[in-house]
């Protein structure tokens, strides 16, 4: 028996109904968390989550699981800090073991301009309730003894910001925890049910088409990750989103011995060790937009080169598996949540390469919006119409590490 | 270690058709960087391009450094650092990353010229050690 | 690694000793590490069936400092260090606090070969060898790869590109076509007791017997091995008995009530339970010209659904675990995998996948497709993947060594090495403000544009007027994208009616060139472009004594403010541009890179009695801040319009057309909501990035700050993002005054002097 076999959670599958109050397209973290909070906080349970494949088959089951709030603008810091805190209590709330572990994240700087950006990050983070402090190279090494402060002779570490509350959790289990909680309250999760079209009544979206027949809905929420452009197009909505692949890989499992999350302001790579002992790493998204889930050797090469400059012990570890997800990257690197201008059709998207950490807060806030019909204050900055109002939430801090 | 030195020449940006019709002095080596751009190495210093090129930008160029390699040196020092196939015809100009550095190769039948922009010289020599 | 044109096979070494867990273990010529251990009566791993074919994870150990090596694939050599993985938990991480260059393989350079062929055949078995021979006959270049010949295929990537690992390095093969002929793997048993030692697949038994290893009392179940002395027992496998090592096997014949169990004692149990295609490589390369032949392409019958025992030895998952997660609602292959972890071990399901599929089929009634195949098929270390990889290139100006010689500390900025400070940054500051100083600005982007349509191009590209600029004059300009957001800035210098020199920021030059070329093409304009960024170096001579210094260098009549001219300075041909970023009279001397050192040294010599000293970036950022000049990318954000930057003066909305104009016209009607402002306050200077507060709320942040020696207080630029824009703000808990920049010489008298 392996201690990481799932022995707590149980999923209950229901038969589809012809109509629901709310239909959520996409059984990833955001779709399921929204259903969960609708059911648990607002008593709205006549809800279906329609998943094209199996739940968690999208990015929510492919990411590198980094949860952090050290963003670059107050609105984002507060949102992600709230999410980070919700993650901290999710195990108690759901009774599930999501393997949540607070690790702290070191963000290494190699140039004066990076130091400047990290100092700024610390100040703004502290001011907005996220604990992030500057550390010296020596302090960084005491946090992560494996660090090579010379950066392989090429990227000397001048300093780092240390985000104390950064954590990881097992991605699948987060998906399942929300699914279980929603299912128990009566939410129907329908797997292998791709949405192929939207039912319209004039402008209004009133349901969805599936290969198993139409399902009518009081309201439809798209939570489809990298596929959002195609689903939004069904509602004639164009979004400032491009889909880019993002890759990652893990090594075999080793004895635990690597505590923090390490990431880098210049090399845009990040490394952590999973509870099972695998070293998990990734880097920036592929520059070419694409829907391909294929992996590239280029990525394996450059990512390996980057992380081994910083952490030479990784050189001798063997790579087990490499994979790819397709990410909904918004033009300002911030999420887009809420109304679309088409009645009856909402989106939660723009989660790009950073949306795992946002699952609790994203779900909670979207549920509140759906339940009350009003955009909660925390979501206000992330509405789609911000682009038309020339108020993008340009946050370079979102990229770089997940 | 490769010793990269300034390779002086004349650089011209002009209409592709004008470059096609360009006449250069005997013995000059013409590297066609792009349809609308050439780099010309004259056998004797001081030679200029003939006029008659409409709206061209012509500049004396000392911004490239490089070195001539024997075919053995090319194979031993450079080819191992290239992730793309060399052209087969000769002479030929190839451009791409050499050891991750943007560079150009001018391939003649008996020798080759490795060129890069001066700011890259240091990294290229370090990497081709 | 190639067959016909094979690498020289490693000379068959004689017998010797390897060192396992600190104790010597003898080996015979040709032994793999696993075989040497078995020969010595040990199990290379923790237990379980051995295939000795590289398929399973049951023989993994740390070999030569690298864990998770399938020891059946590792050759012995004298003194080879082998550490077995601990009985529980993963092998240790070997932390290297600082790079210990003496420690292999950190010091070992891993060579990379790059090969192009018509056809790669993976697997030198019967079908692979025949396919390779066939293709060669037809005149095609063929590479035949086999793990048994030190050529492990890691993966097939797009191209197709086949990545090969061997003990002597990596090979990247670009192929037109790939044939996967990897054969079939032998099934492992799944029943109680299948984790014991002494279990072999048929082929493993054949291999060990041929190597002269005594298998003791051997019993075979299923298809018996060839030429291996053993007792064959009929019937199906029920369980394996023993403690640590197998002592007996229990088989059964007949069904239901007629079923009869037989217990057969043994020291070695040989299992011929059937095979499964080794098709991982084929499955991971869909969409590529990859064919599968031989047993790898066959559809073997799935094994019977397992009822008890370990199903996934790599992850230690039993049939009961599968049952458990199924009961919990994880009722399809992918969910079973993710919830139970079966298939997530080091063999990536090679062993367990057929059994798990059979098991899921027995539950659900349909045979599921195998789960997604991903690299790596054979594993590589990160060092092997990183071999020969070069990350970014850092550019050096021709003055790099000069800066170092002058005690400069270099920093990377915008992709270039640049001097940050030469040590005494206060002295550098005063040299600019009161004397004369040199700055290396070689990194500036420099484009020549020329052609009959050049004015039209620039009028459309830039938001300000270009046509009315006379030859010999220059003008500062913003570069906007279609959304009206500032993407770069620089100078426009007109040389003739149809020729201009444009400058851009160091980091923005490459993008600016692409930007221009794209629009020239889009608009179909007759304009030539030549990028001179790396051809020309540039030295900024700045300070009230700059003109005097240039006079000494032979430039008697330097250009007026915002004019430019070609002239010799100290015998070096220069394009001299008079402008001012520092706030003092400044002359940028653009000159050929090969003359730069000469010019720099001469100017320093000539200015010695004027107290000349060079200044670094650190000071430049402060000097320009006193003047309120923004640095694109530092003070601007992705959505900064000229209006938000307070730079409406750089935009001529009365021009009929320019990039970003319609966006600016639209957004001009929106409420003002974000604004870059100037701030001053008493020292100490707040850190760049500090939040700006008003009434206990964060209303923005400082983008740049400088403790001005001349003004004796902090000067800053910062964003206000809360409307109505507050008048009274606090930074660091202290009052700051919103002040319109420039903070220094607002009339610009010194720049023009
Ligand atoms: C390699 C990688 C690493 C990452 N690392 C991190 C990280 O460390 N930290 C972090 O915060 N974020 C990270 N992310 C981003 C994060 O994974 C995503 O932002 C997040 O999972 C998005 O969740 P989602 O629910 O919006 O989308 P998904 O999880 O992708 O779910 C969308 C679902 O919609 C389904 N679907 C699509 N179309 C249809 C349709 N027409 N009908 C029905 N269903 C449909 C899909 O099958 C899918 O299951 C990473 C992403 C990747 C790819
Ligand atoms: S047996 Fe290796 S992963 Fe299951």
């Amino acid at each position: 028996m392996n201690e990481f076999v799932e022995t707590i959670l149980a999923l209950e599958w229901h038969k589809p109904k012809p109509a629901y109050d709310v239909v959520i397209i996409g059984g990833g973290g955001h779709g399921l968390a929204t259903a969960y909070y609708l059911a648990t906080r607002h008593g709205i349970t006549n809800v279906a989550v329609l998943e094209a494949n199996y739940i968690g088959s999208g990015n929510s089951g492919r990411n590198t699981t980094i949860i952090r709030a050290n963003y670059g603008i107050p609105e984002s810091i507060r949102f992600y800090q709230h999410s980070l805190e919700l993650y901290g209590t999710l195990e108690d709330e759901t009774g599930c073991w999501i393997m949540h572990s607070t690790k702290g994240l070191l963000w290494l700087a190699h140039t004066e301009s990076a130091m400047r950006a990290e100092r700024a990050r610390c100040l703004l983070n502290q001011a907005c309730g996220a604990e992030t402090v500057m550390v010296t190279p020596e302090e960084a090494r005491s946090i992560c003894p494996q660090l090579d402060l010379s950066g392989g002779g090429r990227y000397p570490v001048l300093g780092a910001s240390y985000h104390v509350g950064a954590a990881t959790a097992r991605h699948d289990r987060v998906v399942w925890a929300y699914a279980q909680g929603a299912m128990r309250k009566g939410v129907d999760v329908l797997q292998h049910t791709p949405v192929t079209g939207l039912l319209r009544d004039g402008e209004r979206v009133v349901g969805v088409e599936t290969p198993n027949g139409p399902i009518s809905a009081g309201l439809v929420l798209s939570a489809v990750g990298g596929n959002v452009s195609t689903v939004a197009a069904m509602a004639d909505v164009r979004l400032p989103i491009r889909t880019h692949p993002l890759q990652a890989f893990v090594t075999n499992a080793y004895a635990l011995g690597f505590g923090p999350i390490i990431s880098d302001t210049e090399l845009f790579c990040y490394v952590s060790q999973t509870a099972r002992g695998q070293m998990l790493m990734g880097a920036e998204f592929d520059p070419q937009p694409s829907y391909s889930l294929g992996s590239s050797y280029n990525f394996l090469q450059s990512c390996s080169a980057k992380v081994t400059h910083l952490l030479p012990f990784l050189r001798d570890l063997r790579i087990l598996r490499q994979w790819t997800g397709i990410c909904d990257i918004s033009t300002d690197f911030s999420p887009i949540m809420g109304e679309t201008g088409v009645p009856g059709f909402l989106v939660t998207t723009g989660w790009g390469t950073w949306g795992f950490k946002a699952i609790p807060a994203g779900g909670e806030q979207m549920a509140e919006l759906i339940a009350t019909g009003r955009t909660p204050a925390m979501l206000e900055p992330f509405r789609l119409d911000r682009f038309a109002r020339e108020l993008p939430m340009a946050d370079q801090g979102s990229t770089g590490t997940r | 270690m490769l010793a990269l030195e300034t390779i002086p020449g004349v650089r011209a940006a002009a209409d592709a058709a004008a470059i096609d019709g360009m006449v250069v002095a005997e013995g000059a080596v013409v590297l066609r960087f792009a349809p609308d751009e050439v780099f010309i190495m004259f056998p004797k210093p001081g030679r200029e391009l003939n006029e008659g090129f409409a709206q061209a930008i012509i500049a004396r160029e000392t911004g490239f450094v490089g070195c001539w390699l024997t075919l053995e040196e090319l194979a031993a020092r450079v080819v191992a650092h290239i992730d793309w196939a060399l052209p087969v015809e000769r002479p030929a100009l190839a451009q791409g990353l050499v050891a991750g550095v943007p560079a150009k190769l001018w391939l003649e039948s008996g020798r080759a010229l490795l060129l890069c922009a001066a700011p890259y010289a240091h990294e290229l020599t370090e990497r081709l050690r | 690694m190639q067959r016909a044109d094979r690498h020289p096979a490693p000379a068959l070494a004689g017998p010797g000793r390897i060192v396992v867990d600190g104790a010597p273990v003898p080996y015979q010529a040709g032994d793999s590490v696993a075989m040497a251990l078995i020969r010595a009566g040990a199990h290379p791993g923790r237990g379980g069936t051995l295939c000795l074919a590289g398929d399973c994870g049951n023989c993994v150990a740390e070999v030569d400092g690298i864990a998770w090596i399938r020891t059946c694939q590792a050759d012995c050599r004298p003194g080879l260090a082998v550490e077995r993985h601990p009985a529980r938990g993963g092998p240790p991480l070997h932390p290297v606090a600082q790079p210990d260059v003496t420690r292999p393989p950190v010091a070992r350079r891993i060579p990379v070969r790059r090969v192009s062929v018509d056809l790669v055949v993976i697997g030198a078995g019967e079908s692979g060898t025949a396919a390779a021979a066939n293709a060669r006959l037809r005149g095609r270049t063929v590479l035949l790869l086999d793990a048994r010949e030190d050529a492990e295929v890691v993966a097939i990537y797009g191209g197709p590109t086949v990545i090969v690992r061997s003990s002597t390095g990596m090979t990247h093969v670009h192929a037109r076509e790939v044939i996967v002929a990897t054969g079939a793997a032998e099934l492992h048993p799944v029943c109680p007791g299948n984790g014991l030692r002494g279990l072999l697949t048929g082929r493993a038994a054949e291999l060990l017997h041929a190597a002269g290893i005594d298998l003791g009392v051997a019993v075979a179940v299923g298809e018996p091995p060839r030429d291996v002395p053993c007792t064959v027992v009929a019937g199906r496998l029920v369980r394996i008995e023993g403690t640590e090592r197998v002592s007996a096997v229990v088989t059964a014949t007949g069904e239901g009530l007629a079923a009869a169990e037989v217990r057969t004692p043994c020291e070695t149990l040989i299992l011929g339970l059937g095979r499964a295609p080794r098709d991982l490589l084929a499955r991971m390369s869909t969409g590529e010209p990859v064919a599968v032949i031989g047993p790898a392409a066959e559809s073997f019958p799935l094994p019977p659904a397992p009822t008890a025992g370990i199903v996934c030895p790599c992850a230690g998952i039993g049939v009961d675990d599968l049952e458990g997660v199924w009961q919990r609602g994880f009722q399809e292959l992918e969910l079973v995998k993710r919830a139970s972890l079966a298939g997530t071990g080091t063999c990536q399901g090679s062993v367990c996948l057929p059994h798990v599929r059979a098991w899921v089929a027995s539950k659900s009634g349909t045979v599921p497709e195998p789960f997604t195949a991903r690299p790596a098929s054979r594993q590589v270390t990160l060092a092997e993947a990183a071999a020969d990889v070069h990350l970014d290139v850092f550019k050096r100006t021709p003055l790099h060594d000069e800066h170092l010689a002058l005690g400069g500390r270099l920093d990377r900025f915008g992709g270039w090495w640049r001097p940050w400070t030469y040590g005494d940054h206060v002295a550098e500051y005063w040299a600019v403000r009161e004397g004369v100083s040199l700055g290396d600005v070689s990194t500036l982007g420099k484009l020549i544009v020329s052609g009959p349509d050049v004015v039209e191009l620039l009028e459309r590209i830039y938001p300000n007027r270009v046509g009315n600029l006379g030859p010999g004059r220059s003008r500062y300009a913003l570069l906007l994208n279609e959304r009206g957001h500032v993407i770069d800035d620089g100078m426009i210098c007109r040389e003739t009616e149809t020729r201009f020199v444009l400058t851009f920021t160091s980091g923005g030059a490459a993008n600016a060139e692409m930007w221009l070329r794209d629009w020239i093409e889009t608009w179909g304009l007759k304009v030539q472009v030549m990028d001179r960024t790396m051809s020309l170096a540039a030295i900024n001579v700045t300070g009230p004594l700059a003109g005097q210094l240039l006079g000494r260098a032979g430039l008697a009549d330097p250009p007026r403010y915002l004019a430019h001219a070609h002239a010799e300075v100290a015998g070096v041909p220069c394009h001299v541009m008079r402008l001012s970023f520092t706030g003092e009279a400044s002359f940028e001397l653009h000159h050929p890179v090969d003359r730069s050192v000469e010019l720099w040294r001469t100017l320093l010599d000539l200015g010695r009695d004027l107290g000349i000293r060079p200044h670094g970036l650190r000071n430049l950022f402060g000097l320009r801040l006193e003047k309120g000049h923004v640095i694109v990318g530092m003070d601007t954000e992705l959505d900064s319009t000229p209006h938000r930057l307070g730079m409406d003066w750089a935009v001529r909305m009365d021009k009929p057309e320019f990039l970003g104009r319609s966006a600016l016209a639209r957004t001009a009607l929106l409420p003002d909501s974000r604004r870059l402002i100037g701030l001053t306050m008493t020292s100490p200077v707040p850190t760049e990035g500090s939040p700006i507060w008003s009434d206990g709320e964060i209303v923005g942040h400082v983008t740049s700050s400088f403790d001005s020696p001349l003004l004796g207080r902090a000067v800053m630029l910062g964003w206000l993002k809360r409307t109505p824009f507050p008048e009274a703000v606090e930074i660091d808990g202290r009052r700051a005054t919103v002040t319109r920049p420039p903070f220094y010489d607002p009339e610009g008298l010194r720049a023009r002097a």
Side-chain angles (χ1 to χ4, degrees), chain C residues 432-482:
Chain C
V432 175
R433 283 280 175 256
E434 299 300 339
V436 58
S437 175
L438 301 186
D440 180 1
V441 291
S442 303
T443 60
L444 284 173
K446 310 167 204 84
L447 288 191
I448 305 177
V449 284
S450 165
D453 296 337
V454 72
V455 173
E456 181 178 352
L457 169 75
L458 299 182
E459 287 284 11
R460 290 210 211 174
I461 289 281
Y462 288 110
N464 55 345
R465 274 274 144 71
V466 180
N468 65 354
L469 190 67
R473 301 292 299 166
S474 45
R475 184 168 287 164
Y476 172 82
L478 293 172
L479 200 64
L480 308 183
N481 63 16
E482 302 98 308

Side-chain angles (χ1 to χ4, degrees), chain C residues 55-57 311-315 341-353:
Chain C
D55 291 312
C56 73
V311 65
C312 172
C314 291
L341 302 179
T344 63
T346 193
C347 84
Q348 279 214 60
S350 293
V351 167
C352 57
L353 180 57

Side-chain angles (χ1 to χ4, degrees), chain A residues 30 51-52 59-60 63-64 66 195 353-357 402:
Chain A
H30 281 278
E51 166 53 49
N59 291 345
S60 295
N63 61 77
T64 46
I66 297 171
V195 167
T353 65
W354 50 85
F356 174 71
K357 65 178 72 66
R402 309 285 70 85

Side-chain angles (χ1 to χ4, degrees), chain A residues 33-316:
Chain A
T34 304
Y36 170 86
Y37 289 111
L38 275 174
T40 56
R41 302 262 163 105
H42 304 282
I44 299 176
T45 56
N46 188 21
V47 175
V49 179
L50 274 43
E51 166 53 49
N53 206 329
Y54 58 92
I55 57 171
S57 58
N59 291 345
S60 295
R62 292 165 194 267
N63 61 77
T64 46
T65 76
I66 297 171
I67 301 164
R68 59 178 182 88
N70 58 340
Y71 278 67
I73 51 178
E75 295 84 347
S76 297
I77 300 166
R78 292 193 188 110
F79 175 83
Y80 290 110
Q81 178 65 24
H82 178 56
S83 206
L84 185 142
E85 286 162 15
L86 287 176
Y87 258 124
T89 54
L90 195 59
E91 290 185 344
D92 286 345
E93 176 169 339
T94 61
C96 300
W97 183 35
I98 61 163
M99 294 159 70
H100 181 270
S101 158
T102 301
K103 296 184 164 170
L105 179 152
L106 272 178
W107 211 330
L108 306 173
H110 310 288
T111 61
E112 290 295 341
S113 40
M115 286 293 285
R116 180 178 171 275
E118 290 324 290
R119 278 187 224 110
R121 179 187 311 288
C122 290
L123 289 167
L124 212 54
N125 280 199
Q126 298 288 15
C128 298
E131 194 181 352
T132 310
V133 292
M134 278 313 274
V135 295
T136 64
E138 295 314 320
E139 288 166 337
R141 208 176 50 201
S142 70
I143 294 165
C144 180
Q146 292 99 334
L147 257 189
D148 172 6
L149 293 179
S150 84
R154 194 171 168 85
Y155 302 96
V157 176
L158 297 189
S161 66
Y162 182 51
H163 180 43
V164 181
T168 60
R170 175 149 169 87
H171 50 24
D172 286 330
R173 293 200 173 190
V174 171
V175 170
W176 302 334
Y178 280 118
Q180 167 182 274
M183 287 166 162
R184 284 193 177 158
K185 294 275 179 185
V187 169
D188 292 353
V189 178
L190 310 175
Q191 298 194 112
H192 305 286
T193 310
V195 167
T196 52
L198 296 177
L199 305 176
R200 306 291 286 265
D201 178 6
E203 251 235 285
R204 192 174 182 85
V205 170
V206 294
V208 299
E209 301 267 15
T210 78
N212 312 329
I215 299 175
S216 43
L219 200 134
V220 173
L221 168 66
S222 163
V224 295
N227 290 303
V228 68
S229 298
T230 50
V231 172
M234 296 173 190
D236 305 313
V237 173
R238 276 193 73 200
L239 298 169
I241 297 256
R242 276 196 202 98
T243 293
H244 288 264
L246 176 69
Q247 308 191 42
F249 68 91
V250 282
T251 67
N252 285 300
Y254 294 82
L256 296 181
F258 188 83
I261 306 164
I262 297 296
S263 43
D264 198 276
T265 54
E266 178 167 358
L267 295 169
F268 298 122
C269 58
Y270 44 96
V271 182
S272 68
Q273 187 173 30
T274 68
R276 290 168 72 193
Q278 300 175 321
M279 299 302 301
L280 174 59
M281 46 212 120
E284 260 313 27
F285 57 80
D286 296 358
Q288 256 347 27
S290 162
Y291 285 88
S292 165
L293 289 175
S295 299
S296 75
Y297 193 54
N298 238 319
F299 165 77
L300 207 61
Q301 288 179 290
S302 66
C303 189
S304 299
K306 288 172 180 179
V307 297
T308 53
H309 271 97
L310 306 173
L311 299 163
F313 80 96
L314 292 174
R315 292 176 59 92
D316 289 349

